[in-house]
Amino acid sequence: MSFSVPSRIWKRLSAYLGGQSAVQLLNAVTGLLLLRLMSKPEFAIYAIALGIQGMITILTDIGFGGAISGLVGTRYQDRALLGSYIKTASYLRQVLLILIASAGIVLAVVFRNTEIAAHGRRELALLALAVLLTVQFQAWASYYEIPLLLNNRLVSFYSPQIAAAVLRIVSSVALYYMHSISSTTVILANTISIVVMGVSYRIMARPWIEVPRKASKEHGREMVKFLVPLLPGTVYQALQGQVSLFLIAVFGHVSQIAEVAAAGRIGQLFLLLNTSNGVLVVPFFSKTPRALFRKRYVYAMCTVGAVALLVAASAKLCPGAYLLLLGANYRNLTPQVQLVVYASAIGYLTGAMWAVAMARKWIFWWSGSLQVILLTLVQLVCVMLLPLNTSEGVLKMNIFTAFGALTVQMFHVIQGFSVHARAEAAEAVAS
């Protein structure tokens, strides 16, 4: 192996660590700052709005971002081809956004607890508009960032994210000192930062793509065919991802909603790891030659597993360090914080396995269905056995659900390597 290969790997890794660490630190500071600046009722409303926003984002994307990298693969330098996939994904997402927007607005009404704060129609309308605008410009960010990732332009990739993170933290502090901080104003400030980021990515991607005026029907059919097996699992993931917050909103009370959301902020500290799956793992394995894949996969998963164990051990041995970050209002959440960190460690390992599956097109007809069936069974058992009117009970369900998702990915790996072996055999016969 030439020295240029380790040099390129180190350059890419250092750029990722520097850029993602900056983004993660700024976002974590903002989230932890809001815990101190906002009252528990306002923070609860803010958390519910973010949950609905995240659910709509997943339902409108259904994996198009990952599909672009997987379908383009080694042809990423074809500017017209890459631009066509991005245009097609953007068009399909806009259609889905129109269909799902109404359901999202209905959910915003359902989970608006009038006993928490007297939010009128004006505030509700602003929240709904902000959520929909955020989803739209998040699509720009998630699709137009792909050319930068595939061409190893990590400095350009992180610049808009850092700018948006700085804008969020400055806005939060300014709103506090202006005595205008609330769930509505913080969500609006977040929307503005996402708009800035989405527009920036669209402009910065221009040298690497040629976007056609119309979406390609052929590429549309290809993307739909690629993602249809994932649809049940994606819909389930959109709901399951916010299930802890929604359950505590139904069965618990205001302080417990805030507790679940506050403990969840600790999980954000590990987004540096989770984001590495999309930034490093997917582009790397989508471009890996078949002959080198098996060895690289073993090395990558051993590294990911070791990091996941270290993350889990940190919560077991030093929970007080995490509690200091949450502040005095949440200093009694030791079990909750530990559960969040354990789930984050499992989710990181699961996400890495799934990132490789997407990169290698290991998408099978049973993918989504198995996930829905298994995780639904796990959650039904949890509903019967766990106290879901407490934040600790809800977060324990997240642990069991995380193990269920990891099990599904293990089945993916088994069949994926079977497909890989058959492809290797066919290649050997052909040669």
Side-chain angles (χ1 to χ4, degrees):
M1 182 171 61
S2 66
F3 287 106
S4 62
V5 174
S7 177
R8 288 198 303 270
I9 293 175
W10 170 247
K11 183 178 179 180
R12 184 171 174 83
L13 182 61
S14 60
Y16 166 73
L17 290 174
Q20 189 62 37
S21 297
V23 172
Q24 195 56 48
L25 178 62
L26 289 168
N27 286 337
V29 168
T30 303
L32 296 171
L33 187 65
L34 290 176
L35 288 175
R36 291 165 168 79
L37 299 183
M38 299 176 70
S39 65
K40 275 192 173 183
E42 286 293 341
F43 188 77
I45 296 174
Y46 169 70
I48 291 173
L50 285 186
I52 294 173
Q53 175 184 302
M55 183 175 61
I56 296 175
T57 298
I58 296 175
L59 288 174
T60 54
D61 181 73
I62 64 170
F64 288 129
I68 293 172
S69 297
L71 292 172
V72 172
T74 56
R75 302 173 295 170
Y76 67 95
Q77 293 182 334
D78 187 332
R79 298 171 69 241
L81 179 69
L82 185 54
S84 178
Y85 276 115
I86 291 175
K87 177 67 176 181
T88 303
S90 299
Y91 171 76
L92 293 173
R93 180 162 180 162
Q94 287 175 351
V95 173
L96 288 173
L97 180 58
I98 293 172
L99 295 175
I100 294 169
S102 299
I105 293 173
V106 170
L107 280 175
V109 174
V110 171
F111 287 100
R112 172 178 164 263
N113 191 336
T114 54
E115 296 180 359
I116 292 177
H119 276 48
R121 292 183 179 180
R122 179 174 175 272
E123 288 82 1
L124 178 60
L126 285 174
L127 282 173
L129 178 61
V131 166
L132 295 178
L133 279 175
T134 300
V135 171
Q136 174 59 36
F137 284 93
Q138 276 180 334
W140 283 22
S142 61
Y143 298 160
Y144 287 96
E145 70 184 19
I146 293 173
L148 302 178
L149 286 175
L150 291 175
N151 287 280
N152 297 328
R153 303 293 171 171
L154 289 186
V155 174
S156 299
F157 171 70
Y158 282 114
S159 296
Q161 296 184 51
I162 293 173
V166 170
L167 181 58
R168 277 192 291 272
I169 194 170
V170 170
S171 300
S172 299
V173 174
L175 288 170
Y176 175 75
Y177 282 106
M178 292 168 60
H179 305 288
S180 300
I181 193 165
S182 68
S183 56
T184 303
T185 56
V186 172
I187 287 290
L188 289 174
N190 180 68
T191 297
I192 293 172
S193 69
I194 296 298
V195 170
V196 170
M197 184 170 67
V199 172
S200 299
Y201 275 124
R202 185 156 187 168
I203 293 172
M204 296 173 71
R206 287 176 180 173
W208 311 103
I209 57 175
E210 293 177 4
V211 181
R213 297 185 63 181
K214 295 184 179 180
S216 167
K217 293 183 179 180
E218 178 184 353
H219 290 159
R221 287 192 293 267
E222 188 178 4
M223 296 187 82
V224 170
K225 182 180 179 181
F226 182 80
L227 293 171
V228 160
L230 303 179
L231 191 57
T234 301
V235 173
Y236 183 81
Q237 179 189 1
L239 301 174
Q240 187 273 332
Q242 309 302 329
V243 70
S244 59
L245 192 61
F246 291 166
L247 282 173
I248 202 67
V250 173
F251 296 108
H253 50 76
V254 177
S255 62
Q256 291 169 335
I257 297 173
E259 286 176 1
V260 170
R265 291 292 174 180
I266 295 299
Q268 287 189 333
L269 298 177
F270 304 105
L271 286 179
L272 175 66
L273 298 176
N274 295 330
T275 308
S276 67
N277 293 328
V279 176
L280 299 177
V281 175
V282 171
F284 179 74
F285 279 101
S286 65
K287 296 185 290 184
T288 294
R290 187 176 289 115
L292 299 176
F293 171 74
R294 195 182 301 272
K295 181 185 295 185
R296 290 182 177 180
Y297 183 84
V298 172
Y299 289 158
M301 289 303 110
C302 287
T303 302
V304 168
V307 172
L309 286 174
L310 288 174
V311 168
S314 70
K316 179 66 175 178
L317 300 175
C318 305
Y322 294 109
L323 294 174
L324 285 175
L325 296 174
L326 295 182
N329 289 337
Y330 305 95
R331 60 190 173 193
N332 60 334
L333 300 184
T334 297
Q336 290 89 335
V337 165
Q338 290 177 328
L339 290 170
V340 167
V341 175
Y342 297 157
S344 297
I346 299 168
Y348 168 54
L349 177 58
T350 302
M353 296 170 72
W354 175 240
V356 175
M358 289 289 289
R360 305 306 292 189
K361 304 178 187 178
W362 291 353
I363 309 300
F364 311 115
W365 63 267
W366 51 263
S367 297
S369 300
L370 177 61
Q371 182 174 357
V372 171
I373 294 171
L374 182 59
L375 297 191
T376 299
L377 290 174
V378 169
Q379 291 181 339
L380 285 175
V381 172
C382 290
V383 167
M384 292 185 290
L385 300 180
L386 295 176
L388 298 182
N389 60 340
T390 67
S391 55
E392 188 175 352
V394 168
L395 294 174
K396 282 182 178 178
M397 186 175 73
N398 286 353
I399 290 286
F400 293 115
T401 303
F403 275 118
L406 179 61
T407 302
V408 174
Q409 292 311 313
M410 290 179 178
F411 283 110
H412 255 110
V413 171
I414 293 171
Q415 184 161 349
F417 268 101
S418 175
V419 171
H420 179 78
R422 289 197 298 269
E424 280 186 321
E427 193 174 72
V429 171
S431 62

